[in-house]
Amino acid sequence: MRRAVCPGSFDPVTNGHLDIVGRAAKLFDEVVVAVGVNMSKNRLFTPDERIAMLREATSGIANVRVSGFDGLIVDFCREIEAVAIVKGLRGAGDYEYELPMAQMNSHLTAVETVFLPGAVGNAFVSSSLIREVAALGGDVRGLVPEPVREQLVSRLAERRA
Ligand code: PNS
């Protein structure tokens, strides 16, 4: 059994993330989407909400499961016996950000990082831009799963109220 981890904050999950998770699921026997539950950034959605959205969005892929994690990602990988961390790269900026993390993780343990090129159509899609555009009334249809878009719109309306 070769298990990989797709880690992230997923605030919220986007179609770009789902593309990478789906492709990772074709390369590995099992993919665990690992949601950072105790990371410092201000979040729009709670860890439980982010996990629930991911579970719904990945429910059609049999070998994907979703879990929260706390602490070092390499410790989580060791605990669940994952051999690789899979990350998507939208462009050079992502590579600059991801490479030192991959090198640090490789320094800490034997876990490998596998980079997958993001699909061209998702190159501009990030959780932070989705939050910003949706907060300012822009249409994010087609960039996130529809149930995620609905929760985004209602959470942002609650925040404005
Ligand atoms: O979606 P993000 O915010 O880019 O995800 C970043 C994440 C969660 C993958 C990264 O911050 C992470 O792995 N955090 C866990 C703590 C850790 O292991 N830090 C050292 C990384 S070298």
Side-chain angles (χ1 to χ4, degrees):
M1 153 79 82
R2 295 187 77 72
R3 182 178 289 125
V5 167
C6 285
S9 38
F10 304 103
D11 189 39
V13 61
T14 69
N15 288 351
H17 294 130
L18 294 172
D19 170 55
I20 298 300
V21 171
R23 286 160 57 202
K26 292 182 183 153
L27 297 174
F28 291 90
D29 299 314
E30 183 178 72
V31 170
V32 178
V33 182
V35 181
V37 298
N38 196 15
M39 289 150 50
S40 57
K41 288 190 238 166
N42 267 346
R43 301 293 177 201
L44 186 58
F45 293 104
T46 67
D48 285 348
E49 288 170 333
R50 285 181 272 138
I51 290 169
M53 284 190 274
L54 271 157
R55 286 203 173 125
E56 182 176 10
T58 58
S59 60
I61 317 175
N63 61 335
V64 172
R65 64 185 175 90
V66 183
S67 170
F69 84 98
D70 204 356
L72 287 175
I73 190 63
V74 289
D75 288 338
F76 180 74
C77 290
R78 194 186 290 121
E79 266 166 43
I80 67 162
E81 297 178 353
V83 294
I85 294 170
V86 178
K87 293 283 191 86
L89 297 180
R90 286 162 298 190
D94 279 355
Y95 181 72
E96 295 280 331
Y97 172 72
E98 295 291 349
L99 184 63
M101 289 207 282
Q103 289 167 327
M104 176 60 85
N105 287 334
S106 153
H107 169 80
L108 294 170
T109 65
V111 72
E112 289 289 0
T113 297
V114 175
F115 291 132
L116 296 181
V120 175
N122 292 324
F124 61 98
V125 180
S126 66
S127 298
S128 57
L129 270 184
I130 293 288
R131 290 194 305 270
E132 180 175 330
V133 169
L136 296 171
D139 189 358
V140 297
R141 223 173 289 261
L143 305 179
V144 294
E146 188 54 19
V148 171
R149 191 191 67 81
E150 286 164 12
Q151 284 181 73
L152 193 54
V153 168
S154 74
R155 174 57 45 86
L156 290 165
E158 281 164 28
R159 290 264 170 118
R160 276 194 297 271

